[in-house]
Amino acid sequence: MTATPLATRLRAFSGPTIFTEMTLLAQRTGAANLGQGFPDGDGPPAMLAAARAAIDGGMNQYPPANGLAVLRAAIAERRRADHGVAYDPEREVVVTAGATEAIAAALIGLCDPGDEVIVFDPLYDSYAACLAMAGATAVPVPLEFDGTRFTFDPDRLRAAVGPRTRLVLLNSPHNPTGTVFDRAELAHVAGVCRDHDLVAVTDEVYEYLTYDGVTHVPLAGLPGMRERTLTISSAGKTFSATGWKVGWACGPAPLVEAVRTVKQFLTFGTGTPLQAGVAHALTHCADWVGELRDSLQRRRDLLVKGLTAAGARTYPAQGTYFVQLDSRSFGFADGVEFCRALPHDAGVVAIPSVALYADKEAGRHLVRFAFCKSEELLTTAVDRLGRYAATRRTAG
């Protein structure tokens, strides 16, 4: 046997992810973990009760391959009510094992080996691995800070299209930059898709977690885009239940069928009673989600205020769980070096954003902090970072 039996196309992804590495480091050091994006608290009590009732009611066997009918109906109704985009729950909605499976199944199901996929850099780490599984190649378009927020150059987006381009993979609200693409930016994406007959796959898992009055606009709602867009979301972020792994994809029947074809040979189905709980939450827990959004905005502000007081440069976060920081504020040109020193020296864990960049130099100095934690933990973290910054200034 060769030194590693892992397929060549996946060798770049072997070993633990940076999220696993930093979480283990937090556990070993007792540091305040602002690294991996999972909340400290549970989701809405009514959702948890509905899942328990489903377990007690005998909903413990395989669900239908495309998901419980009640959940598909709830998903379709939320898309119609919240975004004005209607889907047939029988043919145009499929439930998946989280958004991650939906993205993987979409890329595997829609791309042939050698196809190219336009992505926005930085990109969530699973995208590159899923593209490798599909045998497709990522063509990155950089998101760059324009003095106000991270955005892209429309000319660079158009220039990224080539003869093998199959689709555009878009994440908004965007992890890790916190950008929520506005209607003008989405119009550029839509124009490229229409002009070149491309499919769009959109990762919208933070769709309800936007701040300061910023509104999430689904790409599928723009003219000519419903028929070529596969919209992906999940319950994990919306209802603070990341461990449930209940996601979904909505779109025209041929695109949804491509996802269903792949996912039936991956997981087939996921968490029947959890699907029932999510269906209840989508139907009855909108107020809870609004309170979560308001709470997250307060916690974002607490973190940013503390980081700024420590002398750090931060970047605006219009949505998601995350604030980015410039590690050079603490005297580190390299964010990885900073993040590996921080647990030992300051008692705080963060994620080096470079792990999510194709262009490593562009992300070298950026660090991502999660604010989906308790105010107590955030206060502890900013106090520690303030003392750490003061110590470094004194030492310098």
Side-chain angles (χ1 to χ4, degrees):
M1 183 179 290
T2 58
T4 173
L6 184 64
T8 302
R9 68 184 183 280
L10 295 176
R11 288 180 187 174
F13 307 100
S14 64
T17 68
I18 190 66
F19 305 102
T20 300
E21 177 188 346
M22 300 313 295
T23 295
L24 290 173
L25 194 53
Q27 293 168 352
R28 287 200 301 268
T29 61
N33 189 358
L34 305 190
Q36 195 168 4
F38 58 85
D40 283 351
D42 290 328
M47 179 183 77
L48 307 181
R52 285 192 291 268
I55 292 171
D56 292 341
M59 296 182 67
N60 300 301
Q61 307 307 326
Y62 293 125
N66 57 347
L68 292 180
V70 66
L71 176 54
R72 286 183 280 112
I75 292 165
E77 175 55 23
R78 282 265 63 90
R79 301 308 296 182
R80 185 201 64 77
D82 297 339
H83 304 304
V85 184
Y87 295 102
D88 174 2
E90 293 300 316
R91 301 172 59 249
E92 297 184 320
V93 180
V94 60
V95 178
T96 58
T100 302
E101 185 191 40
I103 292 164
L107 295 175
I108 294 169
L110 294 171
C111 295
D112 285 318
D115 281 350
E116 293 181 348
V117 173
I118 294 173
V119 297
F120 292 89
D121 190 25
L123 59 155
Y124 187 62
D125 68 336
S126 75
Y127 296 178
C130 292
L131 286 166
M133 289 184 232
T137 300
V139 179
V141 174
L143 293 177
E144 298 175 312
F145 190 66
D146 67 357
T148 303
R149 60 202 282 277
F150 285 85
T151 187
F152 62 90
D153 180 342
D155 292 335
R156 294 188 74 165
L157 172 62
R158 287 195 171 272
V161 180
R164 290 302 305 266
T165 304
R166 171 61 174 147
L167 59 83
V168 177
L169 177 56
L170 170 71
N171 172 213
S172 180
H174 185 266
N175 172 15
T177 68
T179 286
V180 180
F181 284 18
D182 61 27
R183 192 171 291 275
E185 290 165 324
L186 294 171
H188 289 300
V189 177
V192 166
C193 290
R194 291 192 302 264
D195 292 349
H196 297 277
D197 193 25
L198 304 179
V199 171
V201 176
T202 64
D203 175 354
E204 303 181 16
V205 295
Y206 294 101
E207 60 183 310
Y208 296 106
L209 305 183
T210 61
Y211 315 118
D212 305 316
V214 172
T215 301
H216 168 67
V217 179
L219 183 64
L222 271 64
M225 291 307 294
R226 185 199 180 281
E227 59 265 34
R228 64 175 67 250
T229 302
L230 187 70
T231 301
I232 292 169
S233 194
S234 81
K237 305 302 191 298
T238 299
F239 298 112
S240 294
T242 59
W244 283 27
K245 300 301 291 180
V246 177
W248 49 82
C250 304
L255 297 183
V256 169
E257 182 58 29
V259 173
R260 184 184 295 111
T261 298
V262 176
K263 73 96 52 192
Q264 68 186 346
F265 297 112
L266 294 175
T267 60
F268 179 79
T270 185
T272 305
L274 303 182
Q275 289 192 35
V278 172
H280 181 89
L282 285 169
T283 305
H284 299 288
C285 296
D287 288 346
W288 186 92
V289 176
E291 292 169 2
L292 172 65
R293 180 177 58 248
D294 293 343
S295 171
L296 284 168
Q297 180 171 317
R298 290 193 301 272
R299 286 180 270 170
R300 178 205 62 179
D301 293 346
L302 186 161
L303 177 60
V304 169
K305 182 179 179 181
L307 292 172
T308 302
R313 180 192 182 188
T314 62
Y315 298 85
Q318 299 174 304
T320 76
Y321 281 168
F322 309 110
V323 165
Q324 289 204 119
L325 171 148
D326 188 333
S327 65
R328 294 172 297 193
S329 304
F330 287 86
F332 287 84
D334 189 318
V336 173
E337 182 185 354
F338 176 61
C339 286
R340 286 182 172 150
L342 207 55
H344 304 285
D345 297 343
V348 178
V349 162
I351 296 292
S353 300
V354 71
L356 306 179
Y357 272 84
D359 180 351
K360 298 303 183 185
E361 192 56 36
R364 183 168 175 245
H365 62 286
L366 295 172
V367 172
R368 195 193 78 174
F369 287 84
F371 55 84
C372 53
K373 310 296 181 178
S374 69
E375 292 192 16
E376 179 182 9
L377 184 66
L378 292 169
T379 299
T380 296
V382 297
D383 286 348
R384 291 176 179 179
L385 288 165
R387 290 195 298 271
Y388 178 59
T391 300
R392 288 190 63 80
R393 284 193 295 270
T394 301

